[in-house]
Amino acid sequence: ACTSIKSSTMRDVLIVGTVLPWKFDVRWPNTEGFCAALDIQQTEWRRLTESAPARTLVLAGDFNQSLPHQRYYGSQRNEIALNAALESQELRCVTPGNDSLTGIPRIDHICVHPKTLQSLAAPQIGTWPTPEVRGKPVTDHSGVYVDWDDAQ
Protein backbone atom coordinates (compact mmCIF):
# COMPACT_ATOMS: atom_id res chain seq x y z
CA ALA A 1 0.00 0.00 0.00
CA CYS A 2 1.20 3.49 -0.73
CA THR A 3 0.02 7.08 -0.49
CA SER A 4 1.50 10.43 -1.41
CA ILE A 5 0.77 13.57 0.60
CA LYS A 6 1.33 16.87 -1.17
CA SER A 7 1.82 19.95 0.98
CA SER A 8 2.21 23.64 0.31
CA THR A 9 3.94 24.20 3.68
CA MET A 10 6.38 21.28 3.88
CA ARG A 11 8.08 18.69 1.72
CA ASP A 12 5.74 16.15 0.06
CA VAL A 13 5.60 12.74 1.76
CA LEU A 14 5.41 9.28 0.22
CA ILE A 15 4.20 6.64 2.68
CA VAL A 16 4.79 3.02 1.68
CA GLY A 17 3.32 0.11 3.65
CA THR A 18 5.05 -3.23 3.32
CA VAL A 19 5.15 -6.79 4.62
CA LEU A 20 8.29 -8.91 4.53
CA PRO A 21 8.14 -12.70 4.89
CA TRP A 22 8.29 -14.53 8.17
CA LYS A 23 11.33 -16.79 8.62
CA PHE A 24 9.22 -19.93 8.04
CA ASP A 25 7.06 -18.60 5.18
CA VAL A 26 6.65 -21.52 2.73
CA ARG A 27 6.77 -19.21 -0.31
CA TRP A 28 9.83 -17.24 0.86
CA PRO A 29 11.60 -19.59 3.31
CA ASN A 30 14.56 -18.79 5.51
CA THR A 31 17.05 -15.98 4.98
CA GLU A 32 17.27 -16.67 1.25
CA GLY A 33 13.53 -16.08 0.85
CA PHE A 34 13.56 -13.02 3.10
CA CYS A 35 16.43 -11.49 1.11
CA ALA A 36 14.79 -12.29 -2.25
CA ALA A 37 11.55 -10.61 -1.14
CA LEU A 38 13.52 -7.70 0.33
CA ASP A 39 15.36 -7.22 -2.99
CA ILE A 40 12.04 -7.09 -4.88
CA GLN A 41 10.57 -4.61 -2.44
CA GLN A 42 13.72 -2.49 -2.35
CA THR A 43 13.54 -2.18 -6.14
CA GLU A 44 9.95 -0.97 -5.78
CA TRP A 45 10.89 1.57 -3.07
CA ARG A 46 13.64 2.89 -5.34
CA ARG A 47 11.25 3.15 -8.32
CA LEU A 48 8.71 5.04 -6.22
CA THR A 49 11.25 7.50 -4.82
CA GLU A 50 12.96 8.08 -8.16
CA SER A 51 9.59 8.98 -9.73
CA ALA A 52 9.41 12.05 -7.46
CA PRO A 53 12.75 12.64 -5.69
CA ALA A 54 11.51 15.74 -3.85
CA ARG A 55 9.26 13.57 -1.64
CA THR A 56 10.23 12.29 1.78
CA LEU A 57 9.89 8.50 1.98
CA VAL A 58 8.26 6.93 5.04
CA LEU A 59 8.40 3.13 5.04
CA ALA A 60 6.17 1.29 7.50
CA GLY A 61 4.86 -2.20 8.00
CA ASP A 62 5.41 -5.74 9.19
CA PHE A 63 9.09 -6.41 8.62
CA ASN A 64 9.01 -9.76 10.50
CA GLN A 65 12.43 -8.83 11.86
CA SER A 66 13.35 -7.36 15.22
CA LEU A 67 15.78 -4.45 15.13
CA PRO A 68 18.16 -5.13 16.68
CA HIS A 69 17.81 -8.89 16.18
CA GLN A 70 16.53 -10.83 19.16
CA ARG A 71 16.11 -14.58 19.29
CA TYR A 72 12.99 -15.95 17.54
CA TYR A 73 12.20 -12.61 15.82
CA GLY A 74 13.92 -12.98 12.46
CA SER A 75 17.61 -13.73 12.19
CA GLN A 76 20.95 -11.96 12.37
CA ARG A 77 21.41 -12.39 8.60
CA ASN A 78 17.95 -10.89 7.95
CA GLU A 79 18.81 -7.98 10.25
CA ILE A 80 22.00 -7.30 8.28
CA ALA A 81 20.15 -7.47 4.95
CA LEU A 82 17.32 -5.25 6.18
CA ASN A 83 19.70 -2.64 7.60
CA ALA A 84 21.63 -2.61 4.31
CA ALA A 85 18.39 -2.14 2.34
CA LEU A 86 17.29 0.71 4.62
CA GLU A 87 20.73 2.33 4.36
CA SER A 88 20.65 2.11 0.55
CA GLN A 89 17.37 4.06 0.64
CA GLU A 90 18.84 6.46 3.23
CA LEU A 91 16.26 5.37 5.80
CA ARG A 92 16.55 4.95 9.56
CA CYS A 93 14.28 2.75 11.66
CA VAL A 94 12.73 4.88 14.42
CA THR A 95 10.94 1.97 16.13
CA PRO A 96 13.71 -0.40 17.26
CA GLY A 97 13.49 -2.40 20.45
CA ASN A 98 10.61 -3.94 22.34
CA ASP A 99 6.89 -3.22 22.38
CA SER A 100 6.13 -1.22 25.54
CA LEU A 101 2.83 -3.10 26.10
CA THR A 102 4.11 -6.66 25.78
CA GLY A 103 7.88 -6.44 26.23
CA ILE A 104 8.17 -8.57 23.08
CA PRO A 105 10.63 -7.49 20.37
CA ARG A 106 8.93 -5.27 17.82
CA ILE A 107 8.83 -6.62 14.24
CA ASP A 108 6.57 -3.85 12.89
CA HIS A 109 8.57 -0.76 12.06
CA ILE A 110 8.47 2.79 10.77
CA CYS A 111 11.48 4.13 8.87
CA VAL A 112 12.27 7.66 7.64
CA HIS A 113 15.13 9.66 6.15
CA PRO A 114 17.45 11.03 8.88
CA LYS A 115 17.21 14.57 7.48
CA THR A 116 13.48 14.46 8.20
CA LEU A 117 14.30 13.77 11.82
CA GLN A 118 16.70 16.72 12.03
CA SER A 119 13.87 19.19 11.38
CA LEU A 120 11.47 17.60 13.88
CA ALA A 121 11.37 17.14 17.61
CA ALA A 122 12.20 13.64 18.84
CA PRO A 123 9.45 11.28 17.73
CA GLN A 124 7.04 9.91 20.28
CA ILE A 125 6.66 6.15 19.79
CA GLY A 126 3.44 4.57 20.98
CA THR A 127 1.52 1.32 20.77
CA TRP A 128 -2.03 0.13 21.00
CA PRO A 129 -3.18 -3.32 22.10
CA THR A 130 -4.07 -6.13 19.74
CA PRO A 131 -7.75 -5.86 18.80
CA GLU A 132 -10.00 -8.75 19.78
CA VAL A 133 -13.19 -10.21 18.40
CA ARG A 134 -15.26 -12.31 20.82
CA GLY A 135 -12.32 -12.35 23.22
CA LYS A 136 -9.80 -13.64 20.67
CA PRO A 137 -6.96 -11.56 19.17
CA VAL A 138 -7.37 -10.84 15.45
CA THR A 139 -3.58 -10.81 14.96
CA ASP A 140 -0.39 -11.56 16.84
CA HIS A 141 0.73 -7.93 16.49
CA SER A 142 -0.01 -4.90 18.61
CA GLY A 143 -0.04 -1.56 16.80
CA VAL A 144 2.86 0.87 16.63
CA TYR A 145 2.78 4.56 15.74
CA VAL A 146 5.13 7.51 15.71
CA ASP A 147 4.11 11.10 16.40
CA TRP A 148 6.34 13.91 15.22
CA ASP A 149 6.01 17.54 16.19
CA ASP A 150 7.46 20.24 13.92
CA ALA A 151 7.08 22.95 16.57
CA GLN A 152 10.55 23.67 17.94
Side-chain angles (χ1 to χ4, degrees):
C2 176
T3 189
S4 180
I5 301 171
K6 296 187 184 290
S7 173
S8 61
T9 59
M10 59 181 261
R11 191 172 173 167
D12 294 348
V13 178
L14 175 67
I15 303 170
V16 176
T18 192
V19 177
L20 288 167
W22 179 53
K23 185 165 70 170
F24 299 111
D25 187 311
V26 295
R27 292 169 293 177
W28 303 90
N30 304 312
T31 294
E32 293 74 22
F34 181 91
C35 290
L38 180 60
D39 284 345
I40 291 167
Q41 291 201 23
Q42 184 178 354
T43 299
E44 185 68 5
W45 306 336
R46 187 175 303 110
R47 185 187 68 75
L48 289 166
T49 56
E50 287 174 352
S51 69
R55 296 184 291 196
T56 296
L57 175 63
V58 176
L59 180 64
D62 180 356
F63 290 66
N64 276 305
Q65 175 62 51
S66 61
L67 294 173
H69 171 256
Q70 294 184 52
R71 190 173 178 193
Y72 304 121
Y73 298 92
S75 72
Q76 288 179 326
R77 288 175 54 204
N78 290 3
E79 175 193 19
I80 291 166
L82 179 55
N83 281 330
L86 294 175
E87 186 176 311
S88 77
Q89 298 296 308
E90 299 183 67
L91 295 172
R92 190 178 106 208
C93 178
V94 296
T95 55
N98 294 353
D99 182 310
S100 62
L101 291 176
T102 65
I104 294 172
R106 188 177 289 119
I107 60 171
D108 302 312
H109 296 290
I110 301 168
C111 306
V112 298
H113 192 286
K115 286 185 181 176
T116 303
L117 299 176
Q118 291 172 358
S119 64
L120 299 171
Q124 182 108 26
I125 301 168
T127 59
W128 67 90
T130 304
E132 294 184 352
V133 173
R134 292 186 284 284
K136 294 185 180 184
V138 298
T139 179
D140 60 346
H141 298 249
S142 58
V144 61
Y145 66 88
V146 178
D147 280 339
W148 280 280
D149 187 352
D150 68 353
Q152 290 192 5

